[in-house]
């Protein structure tokens, strides 16, 4: 029995060292050398301090800011440790009520806005962490943000256009606006 146990224990120790220590250190080292920003969480810095990640959304509710896509994570929104969707289907009354409440909040924040509410402002993404909104969702909020900040709406539209990211490789995905970056650009105006 010892003849079989010794190679098994040796193999466990060997594989643990390779897959649990050596491989992660090599991959981390390569990532730090070739793409340190991404390897460290794609953190966005302001005045030398991290204010968030370009990959994880944040809640914004001040009328002076663009609002993010809703988050379905729990126990609090944009909880990166609990990435998930709501698992509520389109016929679920709880989802319908949540969407109605979100539409009402958007309408209450900007009573003069009669444009259709973009779907990404009232439904959570599959991960619950999406940091982006569509250009249509940003445009929907331009008048509210401009009024709350006392800015010309065209100036705010220019910021939205500057913050809009195109399709990856020119054909993958849809154009999108990173809400944190856009709100930081707004703050930089003041």
């Amino acid at each position: 029995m010892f003849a079989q146990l010794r190679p098994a224990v040796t193999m466990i120790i060997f594989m643990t060292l390779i897959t649990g220590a050596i491989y992660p250190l090599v991959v981390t080292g390569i990532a730090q050398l070739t793409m340190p920003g991404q390897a460290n969480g794609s953190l966005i810095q302001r005045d030398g301090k991290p204010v968030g990640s370009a990959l994880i959304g944040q809640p914004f509710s001040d009328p002076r800011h663009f609002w993010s896509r809703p988050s379905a994570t729990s126990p609090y929104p944009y909880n990166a440790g609990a990435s998930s969707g709501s698992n509520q289907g389109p016929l679920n009354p709880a989802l319908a009520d949540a969407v109605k409440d979100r539409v009402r909040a958007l309408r209450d924040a900007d009573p003069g806005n009669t444009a259709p509410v973009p779907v990404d402002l009232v439904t959570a993404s599959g991960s619950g962490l999406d940091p982006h909104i569509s250009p249509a969702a940003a445009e929907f909020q331009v008048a509210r943000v401009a009024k709350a900040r006392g800015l010309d709406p065209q100036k705010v539209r220019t910021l939205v256009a500057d913050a809009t990211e195109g399709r990856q490789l020119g054909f993958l995905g849809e154009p999108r606006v990173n809400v944190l970056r856009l709100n930081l650009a707004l703050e930089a105006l003041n």
Side-chain angles (χ1 to χ4, degrees):
M1 180 169 153
F2 182 73
Q4 294 172 345
L5 187 61
R6 183 172 178 244
V9 170
T10 303
M11 193 57 142
I12 287 174
I13 292 170
F14 178 72
M15 293 305 292
T16 300
L17 285 173
I18 288 179
T19 61
I22 295 170
Y23 177 76
L25 286 172
V26 168
V27 170
T28 301
I30 291 170
Q32 288 292 338
L33 289 172
T34 60
M35 50 186 161
Q38 292 90 334
N40 292 316
S42 298
L43 297 179
I44 297 174
Q45 305 274 334
R46 186 166 188 197
D47 300 326
K49 296 180 183 177
V51 294
S53 171
L55 303 175
I56 298 175
Q58 294 183 17
F60 293 97
S61 58
D62 185 335
R64 297 170 35 88
H65 291 115
F66 283 86
W67 294 353
S68 302
R69 187 170 189 170
S71 174
T73 64
S74 64
Y76 55 86
Y78 305 101
N79 177 5
S83 173
S84 68
S86 68
N87 292 329
Q88 296 172 337
L91 300 178
N92 187 319
L95 178 63
D97 291 342
V99 168
K100 285 178 192 172
D101 290 344
R102 292 169 183 157
V103 168
R104 189 177 317 112
L106 288 163
R107 296 286 186 209
D108 289 347
D110 191 6
N113 191 343
T114 59
V117 176
V119 70
D120 55 323
L121 286 178
V122 294
T123 57
S125 66
S127 69
L129 302 174
D130 197 346
H132 299 97
I133 56 175
S134 66
E139 176 60 33
F140 180 84
Q141 301 180 70
V142 164
R144 172 182 48 84
V145 172
K147 182 179 176 185
R149 289 184 172 270
L151 294 171
D152 176 27
Q154 192 52 45
K155 176 69 174 169
V156 178
R157 276 188 190 88
T158 300
L159 288 175
V160 169
D162 292 344
T164 300
E165 303 169 13
R167 297 167 190 243
Q168 293 172 318
L169 303 176
F171 67 95
L172 294 175
E174 294 296 323
R176 61 212 175 277
V177 179
N178 187 290
V179 178
L180 177 58
R181 289 182 199 258
L182 178 56
N183 284 331
L184 288 173
L186 276 169
E187 292 297 324
L189 289 177
N190 296 341

